[in-house]
Amino acid sequence: MVGQDPSASPAIGALENANPLIYRRQGERPVTAREEDDELPDAIDDREIFDLIRSINDPEHPLTLEELNVVEQVRVKVNDAESTVSVEFTPTIPHCSMATLIGLSVKVKLIRSLPERFKVDVHITPGTHASEHAVNKQLADKERVAAALENNHLLEVVNQCLSGRP
Amino acid sequence: MMKDSLTLLSRIPAHPDSRCWFLAWNPTGSLLASCGGDRSIRIWGKEGDTWVCKSVLGEGHQRTIRKVAWSPCGNYLASASFDATTCIWKKNHEDFECTATLEGHENEVKSVSWAPSGSLLATCSRDKTVWVWEVDEEDEYECMSVLNSHTQDVKHVVWHPNQELLASASYDDTVKLYREEEDDWVCFTTLEGHESTVWSLAFDHSGERLASCSDDKTVRIWRQYKPGNEQGVVCNGTDPTWKCICTLSGFHTRTIYDVAWCQLTGALATACGDDAIRVFEEELLSDPHQPTFTLTAHMARAHSQDVNCVAWNPKEPGLLASCSDDGEMAFWKYQRPEVC
């Protein structure tokens, strides 16, 4: 579905990347003394955003986006004061046909989890995908994202990626 | 100098828990139609100082209603939906009845527009096509032409204010213009320059100029040059050439989703993904072939989320309506600032 609409069905059948490299997961986030003090306001930070997306499932492997190194904390940038979040994700292979679906899952997860004031930008890590520009343009087009999410089949696939593993 | 040039009159939750995608004033400026992600159209009218919902058009579409457009006579409203259809609603006192459903597009219909004569309608879709429909006296709609010039999703269509000339904007980063030729419609020119999706278009009152806004965060002003023009702009045959005469860049920080050119005052308003509304005016003594536009209003946080649409009232100068992803619609009074 490279270069196609996110509403197109993902390919079913043979795995594109049968033996992906698997990375170690990060530990739990340590809670700081400041955060334990309910009197103090806490800005949303990069690690909190990363925690929201690290356990999203890959569409074709029983692994998380963190385990496949598709998302990394260093590629998450949040500016709470300006209400912006930017996430770069790295497809496992440069021709990954699931790139739009993965990006859409990250975007949907953040839109559902964050306060509505946030502007969520999701991009492919520069230089890591053959159709980087086309995928980025689709993910940035809120009208096409809205139309895609009115497609029940696609919404089901996205929700599957977003449901935590049992 | 910009202080208080744009003031809030009122704010209304037009489509609660949903997006409000688009607004359209009827030709007399007495009614405003809004549409949104809740699959409904609401018609708003003024009672005293407040805008109230006069009717809800709820049964026409199965999915998001992206845009609405009034016929030039004000008796019909067309609605473009993600359900791949366009509905035609006939006004009957304060009620509206769906009298026709136009089918044919393969997927989401993104925009609809009536020609100034009222006998032609254009629709466009993610299926990359623009359709021109003819309306007969029995209110029957027939597709006259399917235009395939765009290579991507077509976002917006708008007719020239007084000629049968159609413009479309696309995800392929271009604007295209069409005219009739021997019972068919043809694309006679493509306006290239934007570096990303062109979201919306607006003609000025004369129809000599067209404004386009884009995901590239710029607004471009295009001007028509007819064959034999004094400026020496080269034309192809008898068709005019449309040339970019001004680019407004550096003013917007995110995608510009809509542009509205006031037919009464010439003020140009923009709706931006950075939640702001901006108004620009042409400098009085600027060269018409190389005009300068000045930012005369900048309302940061005009809405709490993206602004999707701006619409000038066609009869009351300076009355501006806007709507947002937050589901709200707002009314603003614009006053051109005094020149210092």
Side-chain angles (χ1 to χ4, degrees), chain A residues 15 17-23 58 60-61 63 67-68 92-93:
Chain A
L15 296 180
N17 184 7
N19 294 300
L21 274 175
I22 299 172
Y23 295 76
D58 181 79
E60 61 174 18
H61 293 287
L63 294 165
E67 287 167 322
L68 292 168
T92 54
I93 47 170

Side-chain angles (χ1 to χ4, degrees), chain A residues 78-103:
Chain A
V78 59
N79 184 329
D80 189 280
E82 289 178 10
S83 302
T84 57
V85 173
S86 157
V87 174
E88 281 177 2
F89 69 102
T90 313
T92 54
I93 47 170
H95 291 277
C96 178
S97 67
M98 301 288 171
T100 310
L101 179 60
I102 292 168

Side-chain angles (χ1 to χ4, degrees), chain B residues 180-330:
Chain B
E180 194 174 10
E181 184 177 275
E182 293 165 9
D183 290 338
D184 201 3
W185 284 75
V186 291
C187 171
F188 70 88
T189 189
T190 300
L191 313 188
E192 291 176 328
H194 278 298
E195 288 165 11
S196 190
T197 303
V198 188
W199 279 96
S200 189
L201 301 167
F203 280 102
D204 73 355
H205 76 283
S206 68
E208 292 284 305
R209 298 184 298 175
L210 178 70
S212 57
C213 65
S214 165
D215 181 51
D216 70 10
K217 307 182 184 80
T218 72
V219 173
R220 280 163 205 259
I221 312 288
W222 311 81
R223 187 190 171 97
Q224 171 181 248
Y225 290 89
K226 289 182 175 156
N229 64 82
E230 285 174 21
Q231 288 69 37
V233 177
V234 178
C235 294
N236 183 11
T238 57
D239 286 321
T241 291
W242 287 74
K243 187 182 151 198
C244 181
I245 54 167
C246 178
T247 301
L248 302 174
S249 61
F251 295 102
H252 300 84
T253 63
R254 294 183 69 88
T255 304
I256 310 166
Y257 289 110
D258 195 28
V259 59
W261 208 333
C262 183
Q263 309 278 305
L264 303 173
T265 69
L268 191 78
T270 59
C272 187
D274 63 12
D275 309 347
I277 295 173
R278 293 169 180 83
V279 182
F280 298 85
E281 296 229 32
E282 190 172 356
E283 279 184 20
L284 287 172
L285 299 173
S286 72
D287 178 354
H289 304 286
Q290 217 173 335
T292 310
F293 283 74
T294 313
L295 182 69
T296 53
H298 176 199
M299 182 58 67
R301 292 183 294 282
H303 287 275
S304 68
Q305 294 181 52
D306 294 4
V307 188
N308 289 324
C309 175
V310 277
W312 294 106
N313 184 285
K315 296 292 177 201
E316 191 181 330
L319 175 59
L320 182 73
S322 63
C323 68
S324 164
D325 275 356
D326 65 16
E328 292 188 339
M329 131 180 126

Side-chain angles (χ1 to χ4, degrees), chain A residues 2 10 12 14-15 26 42 47 52 55 58 74-75 83 89 94 99 116 119 130 134 142-143 147 149 153 161 163-164:
Chain A
V2 173
I12 292 166
L15 296 180
Q26 282 201 13
D42 290 317
R47 178 61 203 255
L52 289 169
S55 55
D58 181 79
V74 295
R75 300 197 180 279
S83 302
F89 69 102
E116 285 177 341
K119 309 284 181 189
K142 70 171 183 181
E143 185 187 60
L149 296 177
H153 168 69
C161 292
S163 64

Side-chain angles (χ1 to χ4, degrees), chain B residues 122-183:
Chain B
T123 57
C124 65
S125 163
R126 190 168 65 90
D127 70 12
K128 307 174 187 174
T129 66
V130 173
W131 291 37
V132 179
W133 306 78
E134 196 171 31
V135 192
D136 70 15
E137 279 125 34
E138 276 89 53
D139 282 358
E140 299 280 330
Y141 292 76
E142 194 186 345
C143 177
M144 282 183 81
S145 193
V146 174
L147 300 158
N148 292 304
S149 307
H150 282 296
T151 59
Q152 290 287 345
D153 188 357
V154 190
K155 299 295 197 185
H156 193 78
V157 277
V158 65
W159 290 90
H160 187 281
N162 49 53
Q163 291 170 25
E164 292 205 333
L165 177 93
L166 178 68
S168 63
S170 168
Y171 189 87
D172 70 12
D173 309 350
T174 70
V175 174
K176 290 185 185 273
L177 298 174
Y178 312 84
R179 58 165 166 75
E180 194 174 10
E181 184 177 275
E182 293 165 9
D183 290 338

